[in-house]
Amino acid sequence: MKKMNLLNVTLVFIAMLMCQNTLFAQDKVDQRVEEIMSKMTLDQKIGQMIQITSTSGDDVPDWVRDAIIEGRVGSILNAGTPIAIEKLQKIALKEGPNNIPLIIGRDVIHGYKTIFPIPLGQAASWNSELVERGANVAGIEAYEEGINWTFAPMIDVSRDPRWGRIAESLGEDPYLTSVLGAAMVKGFQGEQLSDEEGRIAACAKHFVGYGATENGKDYNAVSIPDYHLWNVYLPPFKAVVDAGVGTFMTAFNDINGVPASANTFLLKDVLRDDWGFEGFVVSDWESMSQMMNQGYSEDLKDVARQSANARLDMEMVSASYQKHLKELIEEGEVDVDIVNTAVRNILRSKVQLGLFDKKYRGVPKNSSILSATHKADAKAMAIESVVMLKNEKVLPLQQNQKIAVIGPLANAPAEQIGTWSLDAVVEDVITPLTSLKEVYGDNILYAEGLKNSRDMNTSSINKAVDVAKQADVVVMFVGEDAILSGEGHSRAFITLPGAQETLIEEVAATGKKIVMVVMAGRPLTFENIENKVDAILYAWHPGTMGGPALADLISGKVSPTGKLPVTFPRTVGQVPLYYAYLESGRPANPEMLGIPTGTPLDPVGLSNNYLDVSITPAYAFGYGLTYSEFLVSEPKLSSTEITSSESITLEVVVKNLGTVDAAEVVQLYIKDHVASTMRPKKELKGFEKVNLKAGEEKVVTFTIGADQLSFLDRNGKTLLESGKFTAYVGNSSDNLHEVSFTLTNLK
Ligand code: BGC
């Protein structure tokens, strides 16, 4: 007992020391910021709030040099090569007023030069350690080339596969997005913004609601009921604030009629006052000046007034602050304290990142770019991102058989890196064709069938059919070219583009077994051909190491372990389709597959269904197969009653019943049966990816308490309401055991 007390006292002492050290460090940062602030003119302060875009190449254009020397710029995005960045920082530190370094930003989204799978693919790994490592690798490579700040992670909850930027998202679920978004922030920054080597500032974007863009078209209007804003769209942003994210970016869109870049409620009341965010907020590319197009701002002066008063600290590319902020302060339209606070936020970040002391990064002497370790990490991530949707005893493919590799994406390095790969080295990308040849040698036959995924010219399909005929089994690489997803690249049809369905149908007519590998930036619909293929691997855009990763999976060296981070609809007409929906007063029977011709309406009833398609998805959120078979046991609760101040535990045993090693993602969902505001059908509240050797088992324990059972009301107030709850546990949102309990005794 005595020993215990001594230990406790020591721990408290250490904690106090750590806390004091942090406070001390913070004091030093603040002191330094104040010293700089005291020497700055108003013009120079406004200069810190301006971000310009420079050029590619090694040189610094004269207009950029002048802007730096005159103190008219605080940050540059897309600043050119490391040589140019070194020059820029030298100018800022030697010739700029008060010797303030620039913060150099760039979109380092899923890798810098070693490209990892697109974020939606990374989310399919359900592996936060790998996701953190991916961001870390990206950050290190970018840091080595002088970049201080990435515009990632994008944590917009995305429930519309038409939207091109779903590729950049972490999927449809607020909890999964929160966990993985926080992991990315840690990967880029470490525990907090710091001057540690290889660390750069992260940026939570796009605040907020960009993923809810009306009809999936990019840059469209956004209407989100308060209740959904608090429970669906805001939680990931709160999670990354808690994880110490250094910066935020506002969205292009409005939220219920008020643009995100002038939204005082979101930027001040929620982000600063409620959540205590202390970093700085940047606009999106011209998202401020675009408020004139949105019918919210009269002119550029109005833009500056509205955004500054909403507490937007830095303007990306457009020039409203540069042209009008000073005048607005002089006229009393913007309080000078708003500018002082914004500049403090920006300078604090620059000090924390060590930009003053490191002088400038300089051209790297030793580069870890595309190192063997980075590639190994990218491969590990690519392997875990692949989701096996179907396997009728065809995968993995044994040696000693002829394999026809067919399709426009089998050997398309620039396509497999996907959207937002500004700095990718395409020559370093390894394609599936190359890797499969390494594994299966001369047994690989190849025909592309179509020039690219959008190709409508069917003249080469015959050749592909001939190749298929010579083989024992066919592997088809189909999907979307990189350009079909990403910013400004939404689609109204989400089927396989071009003549790819025809290609698959004609190859299938040979009667050969087909493995379909889909590389795409979004969930696609392929109901027409699903039954023509025997196995489906959904590989997203898998990045630099997509080829070796897929070869390991196809050959059975490793098992697929990915799970869908987003629901796959059967047809675009079902969109938006997500598992955590609010229930209808007239629920439909999920078995009902539409109304057969000639059936009168009455027998079917009037329910929440479609006449022409099932209400179920093609593949559910959380779904994904492995080469093994897993059993998740019935859950055991430590108690079926819980009070508001307690927590209970839920235990399941997960067992690998098969003969190969693999991993299962055990998922916990909760349903609150009756509440003051309707609650979703079920909501993900926990998950654990468990690696198990053949025959091995493990107990997985989840804790259920206030965090898992509460929700937010329309004003953002946390509610914990008594009543019946059900916990669901299993390996997919549509394959779950359930157990109920009651929350009582609320004070
Ligand atoms: C995008 C942002 C990106 C920015 C800078 C914008 O068009 O919406 O996500 O960070 O450009 O490149």
Side-chain angles (χ1 to χ4, degrees):
M1 189 61 187
K2 263 192 177 160
K3 256 191 193 162
M4 199 46 204
N5 281 341
L6 193 65
L7 183 70
N8 280 346
V9 171
T10 320
L11 286 176
V12 169
F13 186 66
I14 294 174
M16 276 168 60
L17 271 182
M18 280 170 65
C19 193
Q20 253 182 6
N21 274 347
T22 321
L23 285 177
F24 180 65
Q26 208 171 314
D27 273 355
K28 275 178 66 178
V29 170
D30 289 342
Q31 208 180 321
R32 189 142 187 202
V33 168
E34 291 316 314
E35 273 165 28
I36 306 164
M37 290 282 293
S38 67
K39 292 187 231 150
M40 293 172 84
T41 64
L42 180 58
D43 285 309
Q44 290 162 359
K45 287 179 182 169
I46 292 170
Q48 286 300 308
M49 298 169 70
I50 292 164
Q51 182 183 57
I52 57 169
T53 178
S54 172
T55 46
S56 49
D58 292 344
D59 293 325
V60 175
D62 287 345
W63 69 273
V64 177
R65 174 185 295 272
D66 293 348
I68 301 171
I69 294 176
E70 287 160 23
R72 288 190 277 110
V73 54
S75 172
I76 300 192
L77 90 146
N78 304 338
T81 65
I83 295 173
I85 293 178
E86 181 170 340
K87 288 181 187 163
L88 287 163
Q89 293 289 35
K90 267 192 194 164
I91 299 168
L93 282 155
K94 294 193 173 154
E95 300 174 61
N98 306 306
N99 317 94
I100 302 173
L102 297 157
I103 178 164
I104 306 287
R106 191 160 179 84
D107 293 274
V108 181
I109 306 297
H110 53 111
Y112 181 61
K113 298 209 168 164
T114 308
I115 302 298
F116 282 63
I118 52 169
L120 190 59
Q122 295 193 35
S125 75
W126 294 57
N127 185 334
S128 51
E129 274 169 37
L130 273 186
V131 168
E132 180 180 335
R133 180 68 191 141
N136 187 206
V137 167
I140 290 171
E141 292 192 355
Y143 176 89
E144 287 177 355
E145 302 232 317
I147 290 154
N148 318 122
W149 178 23
T150 176
F151 304 122
M154 184 183 112
I155 46 176
D156 296 308
V157 168
S158 306
R159 295 177 163 181
D160 194 328
R162 293 171 298 184
W163 190 45
R165 295 194 87 167
I166 195 172
E168 247 184 281
S169 81
L170 298 166
E172 76 181 42
D173 185 66
Y175 179 77
L176 187 61
T177 302
S178 298
V179 172
L180 301 182
M184 281 191 175
V185 167
K186 266 177 123 186
F188 287 122
Q189 296 188 169
E191 291 303 327
Q192 60 193 36
L193 217 54
S194 81
D195 60 357
E196 212 183 301
E197 289 289 307
R199 298 296 188 180
I200 59 175
C203 181
K205 73 186 189 186
H206 306 82
F207 194 56
V208 60
Y210 189 29
T213 184
E214 199 169 284
N215 63 27
K217 226 185 326 160
D218 212 355
Y219 317 126
N220 225 359
V222 166
S223 303
I224 304 178
D226 292 344
Y227 171 72
H228 287 304
L229 188 64
W230 284 107
N231 289 286
V232 178
Y233 293 94
L234 286 174
F237 288 93
K238 170 72 166 64
V240 296
V241 170
D242 294 343
V245 71
T247 71
F248 259 57
M249 184 188 290
T250 57
F252 284 122
N253 52 276
D254 69 297
I255 300 101
N256 308 327
V258 180
S261 297
N263 205 307
T264 314
F265 167 67
L266 290 165
L267 295 177
K268 182 179 173 297
D269 302 354
V270 176
L271 183 59
R272 301 286 181 186
D273 299 349
D274 240 28
W275 296 352
F277 175 66
E278 289 184 341
F280 71 89
V281 179
V282 65
S283 75
D284 202 347
W285 186 292
E286 294 179 337
S287 68
M288 286 169 55
S289 59
Q290 289 166 15
M291 296 195 300
M292 295 186 289
N293 298 342
Q294 286 170 300
Y296 193 73
S297 313
E298 187 89 44
D299 50 27
L300 212 53
K301 185 171 173 186
D302 212 15
V303 167
R305 184 181 59 79
Q306 291 169 318
S307 292
N309 284 330
R311 308 295 192 273
L312 205 162
D313 301 319
M314 186 183 277
E315 179 168 11
M316 185 187 280
V317 179
S318 55
S320 77
Y321 282 174
Q322 188 207 317
K323 294 202 172 120
H324 300 289
L325 200 44
K326 189 173 181 193
E327 176 191 349
L328 285 161
I329 293 167
E330 286 163 358
E331 290 168 3
E333 292 285 325
V334 173
D335 195 314
V336 72
D337 274 349
I338 288 184
V339 169
N340 285 330
T341 305
V343 177
R344 279 194 182 98
N345 295 340
I346 295 163
L347 290 180
R348 204 181 311 116
S349 307
K350 290 185 176 182
V351 173
Q352 284 166 332
L353 284 167
L355 302 184
F356 286 87
D357 305 316
K358 285 183 186 162
K359 302 280 186 251
Y360 41 83
R361 175 69 207 166
V363 179
K365 316 277 175 298
N366 299 309
S367 164
S368 66
I369 284 172
L370 287 156
S371 70
T373 330
H374 290 185
K375 286 190 194 168
D377 289 330
K379 180 179 169 187
M381 181 81 250
I383 286 173
E384 293 208 24
S385 73
V386 174
V387 185
M388 185 158 73
L389 298 177
K390 175 176 182 177
N391 188 17
E392 315 243 290
K393 298 200 178 93
V394 52
L395 280 171
L397 301 185
Q398 305 308 319
Q399 294 283 343
N400 304 323
Q401 54 177 341
K402 288 257 178 262
I403 301 171
V405 172
I406 292 175
L409 291 165
N411 197 30
E415 309 308 332
Q416 78 183 49
I417 55 178
T419 183
W420 277 124
S421 312
L422 299 179
D423 299 284
V425 183
V426 175
E427 296 69 35
D428 265 287
V429 173
I430 309 178
T431 67
L433 180 65
T434 306
S435 300
L436 286 169
K437 278 184 180 160
E438 271 168 28
V439 178
Y440 296 96
D442 291 343
N443 279 329
I444 296 291
L445 314 171
Y446 170 62
E448 61 182 7
L450 296 166
K451 290 246 166 305
N452 57 54
S453 77
R454 289 162 288 159
D455 191 0
M456 295 297 292
N457 179 349
T458 53
S459 60
S460 303
I461 290 186
N462 282 350
K463 198 171 151 223
V465 170
D466 285 346
V467 167
K469 282 182 184 158
Q470 294 162 43
D472 301 302
V473 61
V474 181
V475 187
M476 301 195 70
F477 290 87
V478 293
E480 292 182 316
D481 299 335
I483 201 176
L484 290 179
S485 58
E487 185 175 348
H489 292 79
S490 294
R491 296 181 62 199
F493 297 94
I494 53 170
T495 46
L496 286 165
Q500 293 185 99
E501 285 196 6
T502 312
L503 174 66
I504 295 166
E505 275 159 7
E506 297 202 12
V507 171
T510 62
K512 303 287 172 167
K513 288 216 179 282
I514 299 179
V515 175
M516 174 168 87
V517 181
V518 185
M519 291 188 189
R522 57 164 61 76
L524 295 175
T525 55
F526 35 85
E527 278 238 297
N528 296 345
I529 43 105
E530 200 269 350
N531 61 358
K532 300 203 158 63
V533 302
D534 303 277
I536 304 174
L537 291 175
Y538 214 83
W540 318 99
H541 285 133
T544 305
M545 298 301 284
L550 282 160
D552 279 9
L553 288 164
I554 289 168
S555 63
K557 194 166 167 199
V558 291
S559 168
T561 62
K563 299 277 180 178
L564 295 179
V566 61
T567 304
F568 273 44
R570 292 170 187 272
T571 164
V572 74
Q574 290 177 304
V575 169
L577 185 67
Y578 48 93
Y579 82 90
Y581 59 87
L582 295 181
E583 288 190 88
S584 159
R586 292 185 171 200
N589 175 2
E591 306 300 322
M592 199 179 75
L593 289 172
I595 301 177
T597 320
T599 309
L601 191 58
D602 277 355
V604 183
L606 299 171
S607 70
N608 180 223
N609 65 311
Y610 292 106
L611 295 182
D612 44 9
V613 69
S614 159
I615 58 164
T616 61
Y619 302 100
F621 175 84
Y623 171 81
L625 304 170
T626 71
Y627 291 154
S628 195
E629 197 193 324
F630 286 87
L631 181 80
V632 179
S633 71
E634 290 285 343
K636 266 198 251 152
L637 279 181
S638 59
S639 167
T640 52
E641 284 216 351
I642 174 173
T643 62
S644 56
S645 54
E646 292 171 342
S647 56
I648 54 175
T649 56
L650 180 149
E651 236 178 59
V652 287
V653 181
V654 52
K655 180 159 190 188
N656 184 343
L657 301 175
T659 52
V660 294
D661 304 349
E664 183 59 288
V665 180
V666 183
Q667 304 161 34
L668 168 74
Y669 299 83
I670 304 254
K671 157 96 182 151
D672 179 352
H673 286 267
V674 179
S676 53
T677 308
M678 287 158 58
R679 304 289 297 124
K681 174 89 177 159
K682 54 183 173 279
E683 290 177 298
L684 184 71
K685 292 292 175 181
F687 63 89
E688 191 175 326
K689 188 164 194 175
V690 192
N691 287 298
L692 291 175
K693 299 210 174 310
E696 204 186 346
E697 65 178 42
K698 192 187 161 197
V699 176
V700 175
T701 309
F702 294 105
T703 302
I704 300 174
D707 280 355
Q708 288 71 32
L709 305 180
S710 58
F711 64 101
L712 300 163
D713 73 4
R714 58 195 305 263
N715 300 311
K717 189 170 145 252
T718 305
L719 297 179
L720 186 60
E721 297 182 343
S722 59
K724 182 181 168 191
F725 289 81
T726 297
Y728 301 90
V729 197
N731 63 2
S732 165
S733 68
D734 66 351
N735 185 28
L736 299 163
H737 297 297
E738 59 176 85
V739 57
S740 294
F741 58 94
T742 317
L743 175 65
T744 55
N745 203 12
L746 289 174
K747 282 161 209 133

